[in-house]
Amino acid sequence: MNGLSKIEVRALLKLKEEKTITELANKLGLSIYRTSVLVASLERKGLVKTEKRGKYKIASLSEAKPAELFRKLASRFGHMPLDEILSGRNLALLAVLKHTPLSAHELCIKGNLSRSTLYYAIDKLSDYGLIGKKDGGYFLMERYELLHGFAVEFYELQNSIKAREFSEDSALIWSGVGEFILSMGEYRGKDVGNFHLTGLERFSDFGVDIIGTGRHHYYYSEKAKRLSLEDVIVHALLIDFGPRTILYSIVLLLACKGRINQKKLFRLGRKYDVSVSELLGYLEGKEVKRYPYPPMEEVREIFKMYFGEGKWVR
């Protein structure tokens, strides 16, 4: 997970006004070499820019949105230990905390955090008065909304940088903590390093071959080695929660009824804020009689087209 270290946050605080590498090194009490490496890391993350002026290299905060937000929060909350608050997994927790309470389970899912790491971060941020607890859930105190905004924009910027490295034509569809889904015109294969083709195009792996739209969608994660049926379905619905996607998702659920992990499907639905309960109702013959959900007869016709009448499960 590409977050921020304490020393990186300290460097950002010192760079509210531009400085030479030597000046920054003196302020941080570091060697010029280590400071140069530090600045290069922040530059790769899009938060710092550098330029040569004669024999000096000048560093300052960039014009990227998270850097602009950092200027504001450093001004407003400069009296707080921001190097502690914004570093490590605390930043991941800030990215997913909201004003409405979320359970520890939901925060773990959305923030890609283990339960032990989550509670450690909750304790830390609670010590600084950032987090409240209500109805068994945790929420961010309203006055610290700017910290949440910075965390969200920081991860989106990191994801955008990785997406552009994969394809200049890419556009983020969804951005999370250390993971994202992008859309691009070029097909690069099903699994390319940490990038995995997903959405409707991946339905063919499970027997439902669909004509694409000309755009290809890839899910990035350093943790996922391959995508499950449940991942692919929820990603498809996240990309386009429309009649066509819903119809083919229901068909695929019916075709794989015996091996679908409903618990995992619900967990992914909560992670991506995608409703899956209505789709799962079709497995029990519960047709949803409102747009954009399809009539059961249409589901049956598409199912027969792919799998034949004899495999219809109702």
Side-chain angles (χ1 to χ4, degrees):
M1 191 183 300
N2 201 8
L4 289 169
S5 65
K6 291 180 184 179
I7 192 63
E8 285 179 321
V9 179
R10 289 174 196 155
L12 292 173
L13 289 167
K14 301 298 183 186
L15 288 173
K16 287 185 293 182
E17 297 84 29
E18 64 180 30
K19 287 180 175 59
T20 66
I21 300 299
T22 302
E23 288 172 334
L24 182 59
N26 291 335
K27 289 286 184 180
L28 294 172
L30 300 176
S31 68
I32 291 177
Y33 172 76
R34 190 177 173 196
T35 304
S36 297
V37 172
L38 180 62
V39 168
S41 172
L42 289 168
E43 194 167 19
R44 284 193 300 273
K45 292 176 180 178
L47 299 178
V48 164
K49 63 180 181 179
T50 61
E51 62 174 299
K52 289 284 289 183
R53 292 184 194 165
K55 62 180 182 178
Y56 298 105
K57 187 174 186 179
I58 309 296
S60 59
L61 293 180
S62 72
E63 284 79 38
K65 189 171 182 180
E68 290 294 332
L69 289 175
F70 186 87
R71 286 186 178 92
K72 291 180 182 178
L73 67 86
S75 175
R76 188 177 303 178
F77 305 115
H79 61 287
M80 301 180 71
L82 292 177
D83 58 335
E84 292 279 352
I85 292 170
L86 297 176
S87 60
R89 298 306 173 100
N90 292 345
L91 192 62
L93 178 55
L94 284 169
V96 296
L97 276 172
K98 298 181 179 180
H99 294 322
T100 53
L102 293 174
S103 68
H105 180 62
E106 288 174 302
L107 291 171
C108 284
I109 293 171
K110 291 178 178 290
N112 269 327
L113 298 166
S114 69
R115 190 163 286 266
S116 60
T117 300
L118 172 72
Y119 284 121
Y120 179 82
I122 286 174
D123 287 344
K124 274 282 188 183
L125 296 183
S126 296
D127 286 344
Y128 301 123
L130 274 64
I131 297 180
K133 188 174 183 180
K134 182 180 179 182
D135 301 327
Y138 301 91
F139 65 94
L140 183 69
M141 302 299 286
E142 189 171 355
R143 69 185 299 252
Y144 297 112
E145 172 65 25
L146 191 57
L147 298 176
H148 168 74
F150 168 74
V152 169
E153 292 295 338
F154 171 79
Y155 284 112
E156 184 160 339
L157 177 59
Q158 305 318 299
N159 292 340
S160 295
I161 291 170
K162 285 190 178 72
R164 285 197 301 271
E165 288 172 352
F166 187 63
S167 170
E168 286 292 334
D169 177 45
S170 66
L172 288 184
I173 298 295
W174 174 84
S175 177
V177 177
E179 58 180 343
F180 58 88
I181 295 174
L182 62 80
S183 169
M184 55 189 275
E186 181 188 1
Y187 173 72
R188 297 279 294 274
K190 287 188 176 181
D191 298 288
V192 187
N194 294 320
F195 290 86
H196 308 278
L197 185 71
T198 193
L200 287 178
E201 289 179 276
R202 205 72 192 244
F203 280 25
S204 59
D205 289 3
F206 308 97
V208 179
D209 201 1
I210 304 170
I211 296 175
T213 60
R215 298 294 292 179
H216 307 282
H217 297 92
Y218 284 86
Y219 168 72
Y220 170 90
S221 170
E222 293 183 3
K223 294 182 177 180
K225 301 306 177 187
R226 63 182 184 85
L227 297 186
S228 66
L229 168 63
E230 295 81 10
D231 288 318
V232 170
I233 289 175
V234 177
H235 288 168
L237 295 167
L238 173 65
I239 292 163
D240 174 34
F241 199 83
R244 181 172 181 256
T245 305
I246 292 172
L247 171 61
Y248 283 102
S249 295
I250 292 169
V251 168
L252 188 53
L253 284 169
L254 286 165
C256 301
K257 185 176 181 179
R259 56 193 178 98
I260 194 79
N261 185 331
Q262 294 194 23
K263 187 176 180 180
K264 181 175 183 179
L265 204 65
F266 274 113
R267 185 170 69 250
L268 289 169
R270 284 197 295 271
K271 177 175 185 173
Y272 297 109
D273 295 320
V274 171
S275 177
V276 297
S277 56
E278 291 88 350
L279 276 70
L280 288 170
Y282 280 80
L283 300 183
E284 301 171 5
K286 298 176 182 176
E287 176 184 325
V288 181
K289 297 183 183 297
R290 68 176 186 275
Y291 183 86
Y293 298 95
M296 190 63 80
E297 189 55 38
E298 184 178 5
V299 173
R300 179 172 181 170
E301 287 302 313
I302 298 297
F303 184 95
K304 284 166 56 180
M305 185 172 73
Y306 283 102
F307 302 103
E309 177 72 42
K311 293 189 177 181
W312 176 245
V313 295
R314 281 194 65 205

